Amino acid sequence: MSCCCGVDEGEATTVIIASAPNVTQEEDPPMAEPDMKASAGLKDAAQEAKTEVKTEVKMEVKEVKEKAPESSNPYTINVSKAAAGGKLGAGLETLLTDFCVIRRVDAGGALAKENVQIGDRVIKVDGEAKKASALAKMIADNETLELTLHRPERKEVVLEKKGKRAGFKVDKSMDTHGLVIQDLLDGVAKDMPAGTFLANDRIIAVDGKADTAAGLLTAISKNDKVTLTLLRY
């Protein structure tokens, strides 16, 4: 069944308006002769500050680039179950129609050796795009596989409800990897900047803790401020 997490009650907001102090206007002091040494010092300081700002910006951009996915999307791997004890070494979710989601990767398994990550989705097997159940059957039946996968974007969003409802439409009864957002209803999530949350985003952790879909929903509902880890395909 679908449900919307959060509460309907709003929060009273107190607005404090501070009046500006009375200011007595003073006469302008006599103009002093310009100090050339001081001006040169200020110029040097401004140049140093400008250099520091440029350095900070470069470091910030570098940090963002380092967070980008290393592999291209989609990416293709060739795996042999025989080379890993006859097992793929993974758990697959087939609840959504058009792809399988990797929900478990076993250490030492065929997928672990190829750096496949939890949350990656299988979109083709041996070059064929099929329904999730058919893809899972092909994976189970064949010893050697060519898998085409897609790695989702991962991001963290701080959601502060301030007594309002979160506004996610979800189905907590589905045993999916994470909590799949079906739609946004009236609430804090919908009021955030456009694109912050989208349909089919998956919440996979709340405050860094992974859980079942029902457990994640409970954590979002009972806490006023939470950090959500999202996967976006």
Side-chain angles (χ1 to χ4, degrees), residues 37-101:
K37 291 183 178 180
S39 298
L42 290 173
K43 184 176 180 181
D44 291 342
Q47 185 64 34
E48 290 177 3
K50 186 176 181 181
T51 302
E52 290 176 0
V53 170
K54 286 184 177 180
T55 302
E56 290 175 1
V57 170
K58 288 181 179 179
M59 290 176 65
E60 181 72 20
V61 171
K62 183 179 179 182
E63 183 180 0
V64 171
K65 286 183 178 179
E66 288 174 351
K67 292 180 180 178
E70 295 179 356
S71 59
S72 58
N73 263 331
Y75 66 99
T76 300
I77 61 173
N78 292 283
V79 297
S80 171
K81 294 180 186 177
K87 296 181 180 180
L88 184 66
L92 299 176
E93 173 206 304
T94 59
L95 294 174
L96 300 182
T97 306
D98 295 324
F99 53 84
C100 302
V101 175

Side-chain angles (χ1 to χ4, degrees), residues 5-203:
C5 62
V7 293
D8 292 329
E9 292 87 342
E11 179 188 40
T13 304
T14 302
V15 179
I16 301 175
I17 302 176
S19 58
N22 294 326
V23 179
T24 302
Q25 186 173 353
E26 298 181 356
E27 294 183 1
D28 294 334
M31 184 175 295
E33 291 294 327
D35 187 338
M36 300 304 293
K37 291 183 178 180
S39 298
L42 290 173
K43 184 176 180 181
D44 291 342
Q47 185 64 34
E48 290 177 3
K50 186 176 181 181
T51 302
E52 290 176 0
V53 170
K54 286 184 177 180
T55 302
E56 290 175 1
V57 170
K58 288 181 179 179
M59 290 176 65
E60 181 72 20
V61 171
K62 183 179 179 182
E63 183 180 0
V64 171
K65 286 183 178 179
E66 288 174 351
K67 292 180 180 178
E70 295 179 356
S71 59
S72 58
N73 263 331
Y75 66 99
T76 300
I77 61 173
N78 292 283
V79 297
S80 171
K81 294 180 186 177
K87 296 181 180 180
L88 184 66
L92 299 176
E93 173 206 304
T94 59
L95 294 174
L96 300 182
T97 306
D98 295 324
F99 53 84
C100 302
V101 175
I102 306 295
R103 61 185 308 159
R104 189 190 79 251
V105 177
D106 300 334
L111 293 193
K113 293 179 180 180
E114 297 292 338
N115 196 33
V116 174
Q117 298 180 11
I118 294 174
D120 288 1
R121 61 177 179 172
V122 181
I123 55 178
K124 292 181 182 179
V125 176
D126 294 335
E128 296 186 58
K130 296 178 177 290
K131 299 298 183 184
S133 57
L135 292 174
K137 188 176 187 307
M138 291 176 70
I139 292 171
D141 291 345
N142 295 293
E143 290 295 317
T144 303
L145 300 161
E146 181 188 86
L147 303 178
T148 302
L149 301 100
H150 176 266
R151 180 157 299 165
E153 174 191 356
R154 181 185 295 257
K155 66 176 184 175
E156 290 189 344
V157 178
V158 176
L159 183 74
E160 190 168 5
K161 296 185 290 183
K162 297 183 179 180
K164 299 178 182 179
R165 64 193 297 180
F168 296 125
K169 181 182 179 183
V170 298
D171 188 347
K172 66 178 181 180
S173 66
M174 291 183 69
D175 185 25
T176 52
H177 171 58
L179 188 64
V180 180
I181 299 174
Q182 297 177 337
D183 201 358
L184 297 179
L185 305 177
D186 290 338
V188 177
K190 193 173 184 178
D191 293 339
M192 294 181 75
T196 302
F197 299 101
L198 298 176
N200 296 318
D201 283 353
R202 291 184 181 226
I203 302 169

